[in-house]
Amino acid sequence: MVDGAVTVKRFIRDEKGKLTWQTGKKACLVLEDGTIYEGEAFGATGTSLGELVFNTSLMGYQEILTDPSYAGQIITLTYPEVGNYGINEEDMESKKIYARGLVIRHLSSVESNFRSQGSLDQFLKKHGIVGITEIDTRAVTRKIRDKGAMRCLISTELDAGKDKDELLKRVKGLSEMTGQNLTGEVSTKASYKVGKGKFKVAVMDFGCKENILRELVKRDIEATVYPSSVTAKEILESKPDGIFLSNGPGDPAACTDILKQLPALIESRIPIFGICLGHQLLSIALGATTFKLKFGHRGGNQPVKDLTTGKIEITSQNHGFAVDDKSMPDHLELTHINLNDNSVEGFRHKTLPIFAVQYHPESSPGPHDSSYLFDRFVNLMAPLTLKSPH
């Protein structure tokens, strides 16, 4: 079936920045269950495939698109008006867009913000990313909630009516997210340093966001960022005061090379803090297992309870896998739970200086309720740095 077919006239900004009244070019969104939505193309032309997910954030489309954790995915934004405040270089969470496509209800024809340096349409064109607008994103989101995240395709070059069989064949030929290790696609290729301070932290980059590094540097930390292929031996030889495991895309259980390095880091008794994929990898290395959520947690309004304090935080999240609470061994203490579905959102080791959370305490976009977790990390390192020769 074809849902929400539209062809509308709208203001479109040309390459010189001039607004002109044009009929938008058609595009289609094809889901693996056979559903086809027709809308209007924006951004780059072409065909893009990925896992279709939705994000409930009310703002922050640029940060979401440039979050490396979205590698391999096409994002549906549930908030209807997108692009109204433009794009600027300061809000990049990485050097490029890692999402494979963007699905929205309405693309604003005018960006109005003193910080704006360009339009969302121009931004997607620059990075070669296909977008589709004038889509009933409520219907798309309900479908994902009912059937789960699924493979999909956005195309500006194939006709949904004439090429339906070809479109579905291409969608079903795409690999499932389960079993995919995407860290090598998003990680830095060479190590580098950020900040100066008395706390020396080794950051394992599985798709690290820029705001994570900003939060670390704020706390008198000198961070050395390593590729995902780094060995435990290399990290330990640098004699860090702490080790940070970043966010990232894909299936944690598929990251076998990374998992082989974690036991030596754990046994070193150096304080370790993990978030998102780092949280999942630590849990596996410590004896737990992970599983794929039906449609994941993505947005800036996820309620989490800190069981150690009783406080409720509104958190920023982006993950499709979670830790199985029933698999957690006795030496791990559950510290945070998601109040929507009671899934695991954090743990700490009962005897070692290790803790992790599933969500994004650095936000960007999202609320700042959870930034205290970076302070907890510093407090774990503080006794060591008092004796450190650094």
Side-chain angles (χ1 to χ4, degrees):
M1 66 181 186
V2 177
D3 293 338
V6 293
T7 302
V8 299
K9 282 189 174 182
R10 64 197 333 268
F11 278 119
I12 296 177
R13 193 179 297 278
D14 63 22
E15 293 180 358
K16 296 181 179 179
K18 183 180 178 181
L19 287 171
T20 56
W21 188 248
Q22 299 179 16
T23 299
K25 182 179 180 180
K26 280 189 176 182
C28 61
L29 169 65
V30 182
L31 278 56
E32 68 175 275
D33 69 350
T35 304
I36 298 175
Y37 299 87
E38 289 190 333
E40 183 181 344
F42 74 104
T45 58
T47 300
S48 182
L49 293 96
E51 180 186 51
L52 183 64
V53 299
F54 67 86
N55 185 297
T56 58
S57 295
L58 305 184
M59 55 175 287
Y61 49 82
Q62 181 179 352
E63 293 94 324
I64 291 166
L65 285 167
T66 57
D67 177 353
S69 294
Y70 281 109
Q73 295 176 324
I74 290 175
I75 307 167
T76 300
L77 297 179
T78 61
Y79 191 72
E81 185 75 10
V82 183
N84 50 310
Y85 58 82
I87 296 290
N88 74 83
E89 289 298 321
E90 293 179 8
D91 291 341
M92 299 287 286
E93 284 301 316
S94 62
K95 293 181 180 179
K96 68 174 188 176
I97 296 176
Y98 279 100
R100 292 184 180 173
L102 182 62
V103 180
I104 61 175
R105 176 65 188 92
H106 181 252
L107 175 66
S108 177
S109 57
V110 179
E111 62 279 356
S112 178
N113 189 287
F114 73 97
R115 298 175 68 238
S116 177
Q117 298 170 338
S119 71
L120 178 58
D121 179 52
Q122 293 167 333
F123 185 58
L124 263 60
K125 282 185 170 74
K126 175 182 175 182
H127 291 273
I129 304 300
V130 180
I132 185 169
T133 183
E134 302 302 328
I135 292 293
D136 185 350
T137 51
R138 294 172 300 177
V140 174
T141 301
R142 285 195 299 269
K143 183 171 287 288
I144 296 171
R145 286 179 64 90
D146 291 343
K147 295 190 174 183
M150 63 183 79
R151 293 167 293 177
C152 78
L153 170 155
I154 301 176
S155 181
T156 66
E157 55 192 2
L158 296 173
D159 186 286
K162 297 179 182 178
D163 304 314
K164 181 178 179 180
D165 291 342
E166 172 63 20
L167 290 167
L168 283 174
K169 181 180 178 180
R170 293 180 68 173
V171 170
K172 292 181 179 180
L174 180 68
S175 298
E176 299 273 4
M177 187 60 71
T178 300
Q180 288 199 56
N181 176 4
L182 300 174
T183 55
E185 178 182 326
V186 298
S187 177
T188 181
K189 304 306 179 187
S191 60
Y192 63 94
K193 292 184 184 293
V194 178
K196 292 183 178 180
K198 68 178 181 181
F199 300 100
K200 312 298 181 181
V201 171
V203 176
M204 298 182 74
D205 176 13
F206 311 133
C208 188
K209 292 171 59 183
E210 287 295 323
N211 207 46
I212 290 173
L213 300 179
R214 295 187 198 105
E215 289 296 327
L216 292 173
V217 170
K218 280 181 187 177
R219 290 165 173 83
D220 202 16
I221 286 173
E222 178 184 290
T224 302
V225 184
Y226 292 95
S228 60
S229 58
V230 67
T231 64
K233 182 175 182 290
E234 185 177 355
I235 289 177
L236 295 177
E237 285 178 349
S238 72
K239 298 183 178 179
D241 300 311
I243 301 169
F244 182 88
L245 277 62
S246 84
N247 61 296
D251 182 352
C255 302
T256 53
D257 290 344
I258 298 170
L259 289 168
K260 290 177 182 178
Q261 305 304 319
L262 296 186
L265 300 179
I266 291 168
E267 292 167 9
S268 73
R269 305 188 72 89
I270 295 171
I272 301 177
F273 178 24
I275 70 164
C276 191
L277 181 63
H279 166 268
Q280 297 161 3
L281 292 170
L282 275 174
S283 72
I284 294 173
L286 289 164
T289 58
T290 57
F291 66 98
K292 196 175 192 301
L293 292 163
K294 184 176 182 181
F295 50 81
H297 301 154
R298 296 176 181 88
N301 51 5
Q302 292 282 334
V304 167
K305 184 175 184 178
D306 184 342
L307 301 177
T308 66
T309 64
K311 292 182 177 180
I312 309 300
E313 307 161 31
I314 303 302
T315 67
S316 178
Q317 302 203 11
N318 170 21
H319 63 105
F321 292 81
V323 176
D324 183 355
D325 61 332
K326 297 180 179 60
S327 73
M328 293 177 65
D330 291 340
H331 54 258
L332 298 184
E333 176 189 356
L334 180 65
T335 57
H336 296 76
I337 59 168
N338 188 296
L339 294 181
N340 285 335
D341 59 11
N342 291 318
S343 60
V344 175
E345 292 283 2
F347 69 85
R348 65 183 176 191
H349 198 285
K350 291 181 180 178
T351 59
L352 297 175
I354 297 171
F355 74 106
V357 292
Q358 181 58 73
Y359 49 98
H360 284 263
E362 84 291 345
S363 63
S364 190
H368 299 163
D369 298 23
S370 309
S371 59
Y372 70 90
L373 290 164
F374 290 99
D375 298 323
R376 283 191 181 179
F377 184 41
V378 172
N379 289 338
L380 279 180
M381 293 187 291
L384 296 180
T385 55
L386 290 176
K387 303 174 183 177
S388 173
H390 296 309

